[in-house]
Amino acid sequence: VINAGKSQHNEDQACCEVVFVERRPSPGARLPSREAALNSLSHLLPHGLTSPSFLSLQGRKGFYFHYWALFDGHAGSGAAVMASKKLHLHICEQLRDLVDILQDPSPPPICLPHDMRACPTEQSQVPLTEDDGEVPNNAVPRFHLEKAVSHESLVIGAIENAFKLMDDQIERERASQRLPGGCCALAAIYLMGKFYVANAGDSRAIIIRNGEIIPMSREFTPETERQRLQFLAFLRPELLGKEFTHLEFPRRIQPKELGKKMLYRDQNMNGWAYKKIQEDDLKFPLIYGEGKKARVMATIGVTRGLGDHDLKVFSSNIHIKPFLSCFPEVRVYDLTQYEHCPDDVLVLGTDGLWDVTNDKEVAGVVMEVLTSYEPNDPCRYTMVAQELVVRSRGVLKERGWRLANDKLGSGDDISVFVIPL
Amino acid sequence: VINAGKSQHNEDQACCEVVFVERRPSPGARLPSREAALNSLSHLLPHGLTSPSFLSLQGRKGFYFHYWALFDGHAGSGAAVMASKKLHLHICEQLRDLVDILQDPSPPPICLPHDMRACPTEQSQVPLTEDDGEVPNNAVPRFHLEKAVSHESLVIGAIENAFKLMDDQIERERASQRLPGGCCALAAIYLMGKFYVANAGDSRAIIIRNGEIIPMSREFTPETERQRLQFLAFLRPELLGKEFTHLEFPRRIQPKELGKKMLYRDQNMNGWAYKKIQEDDLKFPLIYGEGKKARVMATIGVTRGLGDHDLKVFSSNIHIKPFLSCFPEVRVYDLTQYEHCPDDVLVLGTDGLWDVTNDKEVAGVVMEVLTSYEPNDPCRYTMVAQELVVRSRGVLKERGWRLANDKLGSGDDISVFVIPL
């Protein structure tokens, strides 16, 4: 991590842990409170541990996951610091219900008995997925089909809900814990032979395998999520106050242009068309600007992440949060499906990296640095990460920080994980 | 086109035209009414014409586009018949405003003068895209940037709005013209060196180039559009009546299962998680069923298309139309970017084809049939289309219509265009 001086405190935060997911005690026993579980560090293990997926730790049944995450804060570091300390514990909590199910190779049960922990063995005695003779008194036609749900999709659901609960916790504690601002979140979870890469924001993850680049995330910005935001604003115009229009225009319209025809896009369109400018079109567009300068309601340049519960449009009472999503997109990479060599890596980086160094350049640095170390040197991956950060920052010259190509270096915080596959 | 006997009248309809887009008369002259323009066939030319992009037809300024489209009707053929007769005229109408702009290689003007046809030459005298000295009295910060809009995106916008206007016309005339039901629409427009493939529904277009398959559309079904539909239902729960829930469950829940835990997905999730079953979860899920059997509100298996304005949930007053979109996704293929041989084709087919014959099999049939004819035989493409339809229908045996692999043939209407590139 480098703080390039944009803010006094580093707004990028990171976390790297091995987490033990302990099966919940049986239903009869008294459960520890959720708060206590979240604040306990007892299920964290020292780094570098190579563990079998399932084991009994001092008699406790469960499994491990490995976890790396980057949090790129904005308008303060509070949300990023909180998320870096807690997100993996929320993921752990969500997975605790699934310990027995994920260990069982048969398909996950669709329905679990009343007030019972997810446990396929106990559950399999109850034929819940079949009709048991009763014909319910129900006029709606019944479909005798059942959707197959994979173990993988349960892990994805657990991660998605963990992001939501993390966001809820930031909302609850933002006043008492002084957590201003928000953060993008990018997390990689290695569990049972698969990487789950969850992204909410404009950080990015790529895998470099045998020199090939495999994208493991996409960025969520006003441009990439334009249609979702316009659709919401179209259905809930009250969220725009009286200041904004859900239509997109290629530039601001001046009042004297009323009655002329101007290019526009609405939420259903990918192309552009002309419309006659009306009074309502003089409002500021919900989405405005291009590339890195695109903003939601002239305020924020990312559309997913954690926090931002108090964020409002400048000098107004219009809240931004309804347009932001705390849910990540989760992509899965099955390590068992491919052969990997010591030079194959997963790279996580905040936008401070990607703004000045593209995927191909990153792959080039990875290859260049790794080949200069012995394949079994444990430092080699750290050296790649360091080199990526340093190169993206550049060198201080008379005319500011400059990259090798003399372009301006990244003035943003820059954080990188390089994870051997 | 084959009618496999599912309905008495063929619900698949098709259209193939060369359309002349005439520049609108200058603003002073009296415009013909929109209705008259739409019903006029004067701008249609005989097929097979190889035309320069722009020309003057008997002194009229404009350009041609080539057009092929398939309409797969449901609940009657009315909407499909109407759309097959009119959609290209709506596209023509939308393009008429763009005749001058598309001819001019400079970027399209962002803003057009008052009440004036889009005409860059006349327009360029007015520096609309620059500040002209006046500082508007406006508190919102002004951004001195302007988004670049391509000619291509104007054509896309024109096609998108043409679908919307076609849908509006079906709504207006559905009573007087007896237009029950709706239809999927797939249209390929060849204009100035590019194919624009617009799809609304579950038909499909692929390009086969040098044996490689290039998808030119994706299907819009309850499964592929689940999150859009759930998002709408979440924001507008009144659209569900009291019969449906926006949550997805892997199967129907029985009342006696109240209080148990069941797998679910909401609009933010791609994975699955368990939730305690509550009273509200006993309602029928908005999206239900898998693959070809997936339905919106237990009623319809496609989520985009034209018509269906009167479609309601069986024995209820709940309208389906708000969940359907008439807007297509438009994909562009630039013919000038590649070299093509006489065996390279664009294939359009309704689901009657794709349900039983996959992309690879279609590519195989294309190669097999084309190589059995001389490269300059004009019939060879028609023979491919015929072979694709006949093979997908199968042969009548004692146990019904059977494919070569003895599986059941398509019982649906089957329509195919094979267009040489």
Side-chain angles (χ1 to χ4, degrees):
Chain A
V1 180
I2 277 189
N3 176 331
K6 193 174 90 170
S7 53
Q8 194 179 0
H9 297 285
N10 204 336
E11 293 185 343
D12 273 11
Q13 295 292 323
C15 179
C16 168
E17 294 283 358
V18 181
V19 182
F20 182 67
V21 181
E22 186 182 359
R23 183 186 194 240
R24 265 192 226 293
S26 41
R30 199 161 165 260
L31 291 169
S33 78
R34 194 170 144 281
E35 209 53 35
L38 283 179
N39 289 311
S40 151
L41 288 173
S42 67
H43 42 343
L44 295 184
L45 287 183
H47 297 188
L49 184 97
T50 40
S51 63
S53 277
F54 292 110
L55 56 76
S56 195
L57 182 75
Q58 297 163 347
R60 298 182 298 163
K61 202 182 166 198
F63 56 79
Y64 289 100
F65 67 86
H66 293 67
Y67 171 88
W68 299 257
L70 296 176
F71 304 91
D72 180 354
H74 48 253
S77 59
V81 169
M82 170 82 148
S84 71
K85 288 180 181 165
K86 301 283 186 181
L87 179 61
H88 55 294
L89 304 179
H90 281 287
I91 294 171
C92 180
E93 273 299 295
Q94 293 301 303
L95 290 172
R96 287 187 74 187
D97 289 320
L98 304 173
V99 168
D100 289 319
I101 291 172
L102 293 179
Q103 280 183 99
D104 189 317
S106 54
I110 299 297
C111 187
L112 301 174
H114 198 56
D115 267 344
M116 195 174 275
R117 180 186 65 249
C119 173
T121 323
E122 300 162 35
Q123 201 261 329
S124 63
Q125 294 157 9
V126 191
L128 282 160
T129 59
E130 288 293 317
D131 292 340
D132 43 3
E134 288 178 46
V135 179
N137 183 12
N138 193 335
V140 185
R142 295 187 57 213
F143 291 77
H144 295 267
L145 56 82
E146 193 173 283
K147 208 159 187 165
V149 173
S150 65
H151 289 95
E152 186 177 296
S153 67
L154 291 190
V155 176
I156 294 171
I159 294 168
E160 289 170 330
N161 280 333
F163 271 66
K164 172 65 179 149
L165 291 168
M166 183 74 248
D167 196 53
D168 291 346
Q169 190 184 5
I170 292 172
E171 180 174 22
R172 280 195 313 275
E173 301 181 12
R174 70 190 194 281
S176 62
Q177 303 278 317
R178 288 197 223 145
L179 304 170
C183 66
C184 297
L186 169 63
I189 294 105
Y190 173 70
L191 174 62
M192 299 164 79
K194 290 176 180 173
F195 260 110
Y196 295 83
V197 179
N199 188 41
D202 65 354
S203 296
R204 185 188 301 167
I206 62 171
I207 278 174
I208 300 160
R209 188 183 68 213
N210 201 14
E212 184 194 354
I213 292 159
I214 303 158
M216 286 302 296
S217 67
R218 62 185 171 108
E219 285 87 72
F220 296 97
T221 66
E223 286 192 313
T224 64
E225 296 216 277
R226 173 181 64 85
Q227 288 185 290
R228 174 177 75 80
L229 303 185
Q230 285 188 308
F231 190 43
L232 173 58
F234 172 74
L235 290 171
R236 287 270 178 87
E238 70 276 14
L239 296 177
L240 297 174
K242 286 168 184 164
E243 306 289 328
F244 294 92
T245 165
H246 79 277
L247 294 180
E248 185 187 13
F249 298 101
R251 65 163 171 81
R252 286 305 308 277
I253 304 174
Q254 298 171 45
K256 64 180 177 187
E257 292 176 318
L258 259 177
K260 291 178 179 171
K261 281 182 167 183
M262 182 114 180
L263 287 172
Y264 80 103
R265 286 203 282 196
D266 79 11
Q267 80 276 3
N268 299 304
M269 296 170 71
N270 269 308
W272 293 83
Y274 290 97
K275 83 181 287 286
K276 199 169 182 173
I277 299 169
Q278 291 163 316
E279 194 67 37
D280 223 44
D281 302 325
L282 298 178
K283 296 175 180 173
F284 201 88
L286 167 66
I287 309 287
Y288 189 66
E290 243 176 323
K292 286 297 286 182
K293 285 180 184 161
R295 293 281 179 278
V296 180
M297 300 202 277
T299 303
I300 188 169
V302 289
T303 52
R304 300 215 189 177
L306 306 168
D308 289 319
H309 297 90
D310 296 316
L311 188 62
K312 291 179 184 180
V313 175
F314 181 69
S315 79
S316 85
N317 207 24
I318 302 168
H319 284 268
I320 308 282
K321 186 69 175 172
F323 292 94
L324 306 179
S325 170
C326 64
F327 280 84
E329 184 189 69
V330 182
R331 296 199 183 179
V332 183
Y333 180 82
D334 189 344
L335 273 161
T336 66
Q337 295 293 301
Y338 307 93
E339 294 226 348
H340 294 96
C341 74
D343 290 1
D344 294 339
V345 294
L346 169 64
V347 178
L348 312 182
T350 53
D351 65 338
L353 172 71
W354 305 107
D355 285 350
V356 298
T357 314
N358 66 30
D359 293 7
K360 223 175 144 183
E361 290 163 341
V362 166
V365 172
V366 167
M367 192 157 69
E368 180 190 320
V369 177
L370 287 181
T371 49
S372 70
Y373 289 84
E374 292 294 317
N376 57 355
D377 184 337
C379 287
R380 64 204 293 266
Y381 305 104
T382 308
M383 296 316 292
V384 175
Q386 184 175 307
E387 181 67 21
L388 285 170
V389 168
V390 167
R391 281 208 202 183
S392 302
R393 179 67 181 113
V395 174
L396 185 58
K397 296 187 180 172
E398 279 172 34
R399 295 155 306 115
W401 292 80
R402 295 282 161 173
L403 305 177
N405 59 13
D406 208 48
K407 283 187 182 164
L408 268 182
S410 184
D412 202 353
D413 298 333
I414 312 167
S415 307
V416 178
F417 270 122
V418 176
I419 304 163
L421 295 182
Chain B
V1 180
I2 278 191
N3 175 332
K6 195 172 87 169
S7 54
Q8 194 177 359
H9 297 284
N10 205 336
E11 294 186 343
D12 273 9
Q13 296 291 324
C15 178
C16 168
E17 295 285 358
V18 180
V19 182
F20 182 67
V21 182
E22 186 183 359
R23 183 184 193 243
R24 266 191 225 294
S26 44
R30 196 161 167 260
L31 290 169
S33 78
R34 198 171 142 278
E35 209 53 35
L38 284 178
N39 287 313
S40 151
L41 288 172
S42 68
H43 41 347
L44 294 183
L45 288 182
H47 297 191
L49 182 97
T50 39
S51 63
S53 275
F54 292 108
L55 56 76
S56 193
L57 183 74
Q58 297 162 349
R60 298 183 299 162
K61 202 182 166 199
F63 58 79
Y64 291 100
F65 66 87
H66 293 68
Y67 171 89
W68 300 257
L70 296 176
F71 304 90
D72 179 354
H74 48 252
S77 59
V81 169
M82 171 82 149
S84 73
K85 288 182 183 164
K86 300 283 184 182
L87 179 61
H88 55 294
L89 303 179
H90 281 288
I91 294 171
C92 180
E93 273 298 294
Q94 292 301 303
L95 289 172
R96 288 186 73 187
D97 288 321
L98 303 173
V99 167
D100 289 318
I101 292 172
L102 294 179
Q103 281 182 99
D104 189 315
S106 53
I110 299 297
C111 187
L112 300 174
H114 199 56
D115 268 343
M116 195 174 276
R117 178 187 68 250
C119 175
T121 324
E122 299 164 38
Q123 202 261 329
S124 63
Q125 293 155 10
V126 192
L128 282 160
T129 58
E130 288 293 317
D131 292 338
D132 42 2
E134 287 178 49
V135 179
N137 183 13
N138 193 335
V140 185
R142 294 187 57 214
F143 292 76
H144 295 267
L145 55 81
E146 193 172 283
K147 208 158 185 164
V149 173
S150 65
H151 288 95
E152 186 178 295
S153 67
L154 291 189
V155 177
I156 294 171
I159 295 169
E160 288 171 330
N161 281 333
F163 271 65
K164 171 66 179 150
L165 292 167
M166 182 73 248
D167 195 54
D168 291 346
Q169 189 183 5
I170 292 172
E171 179 173 22
R172 281 195 312 274
E173 300 180 13
R174 70 192 195 279
S176 63
Q177 303 279 317
R178 287 200 223 142
L179 304 169
C183 67
C184 296
L186 170 63
I189 293 105
Y190 174 69
L191 174 63
M192 299 164 81
K194 290 177 180 175
F195 261 110
Y196 296 84
V197 180
N199 187 42
D202 64 356
S203 296
R204 185 188 302 167
I206 62 172
I207 278 174
I208 300 160
R209 188 183 68 214
N210 200 14
E212 185 194 353
I213 293 158
I214 302 158
M216 287 303 296
S217 67
R218 64 187 170 106
E219 286 88 73
F220 296 96
T221 67
E223 286 191 313
T224 64
E225 295 216 279
R226 173 182 63 86
Q227 290 186 289
R228 175 177 74 81
L229 303 185
Q230 286 188 307
F231 190 43
L232 173 58
F234 172 73
L235 291 172
R236 287 270 178 88
E238 70 277 11
L239 296 176
L240 297 174
K242 286 168 183 167
E243 306 287 328
F244 295 91
T245 165
H246 81 277
L247 294 180
E248 185 187 12
F249 298 101
R251 66 164 171 79
R252 286 304 310 278
I253 304 174
Q254 299 172 44
K256 64 180 178 186
E257 292 176 319
L258 259 179
K260 290 179 180 172
K261 281 180 165 181
M262 182 112 180
L263 286 174
Y264 80 101
R265 283 204 283 197
D266 79 10
Q267 81 276 5
N268 298 305
M269 296 169 73
N270 270 309
W272 294 81
Y274 291 98
K275 82 180 288 285
K276 200 169 181 174
I277 300 170
Q278 290 163 315
E279 196 68 36
D280 223 45
D281 301 325
L282 299 177
K283 295 174 179 173
F284 201 88
L286 167 66
I287 310 288
Y288 191 65
E290 243 177 321
K292 285 299 284 183
K293 286 180 183 159
R295 293 280 179 280
V296 180
M297 300 202 276
T299 304
I300 188 167
V302 288
T303 51
R304 300 215 189 176
L306 306 168
D308 289 319
H309 297 91
D310 297 316
L311 188 62
K312 292 179 184 180
V313 174
F314 180 71
S315 80
S316 85
N317 207 25
I318 302 168
H319 285 268
I320 307 282
K321 186 68 174 174
F323 292 94
L324 307 179
S325 169
C326 64
F327 280 84
E329 185 190 69
V330 182
R331 296 197 184 181
V332 183
Y333 181 83
D334 188 343
L335 273 160
T336 66
Q337 294 294 301
Y338 307 94
E339 295 226 347
H340 296 95
C341 74
D343 291 2
D344 294 339
V345 293
L346 168 63
V347 178
L348 312 182
T350 54
D351 64 338
L353 171 71
W354 305 107
D355 286 351
V356 299
T357 313
N358 66 31
D359 293 5
K360 223 175 142 181
E361 290 163 343
V362 166
V365 172
V366 167
M367 192 156 71
E368 181 190 321
V369 177
L370 286 181
T371 51
S372 70
Y373 288 84
E374 292 294 320
N376 57 354
D377 185 337
C379 287
R380 63 203 294 264
Y381 305 104
T382 309
M383 297 315 291
V384 174
Q386 184 174 305
E387 181 67 20
L388 283 170
V389 168
V390 167
R391 282 210 199 181
S392 303
R393 179 70 180 111
V395 174
L396 186 57
K397 297 188 177 170
E398 279 173 33
R399 297 155 306 116
W401 292 80
R402 297 280 163 176
L403 306 177
N405 59 13
D406 208 46
K407 283 187 185 166
L408 269 181
S410 184
D412 201 353
D413 297 334
I414 312 168
S415 308
V416 178
F417 270 123
V418 176
I419 304 162
L421 295 182

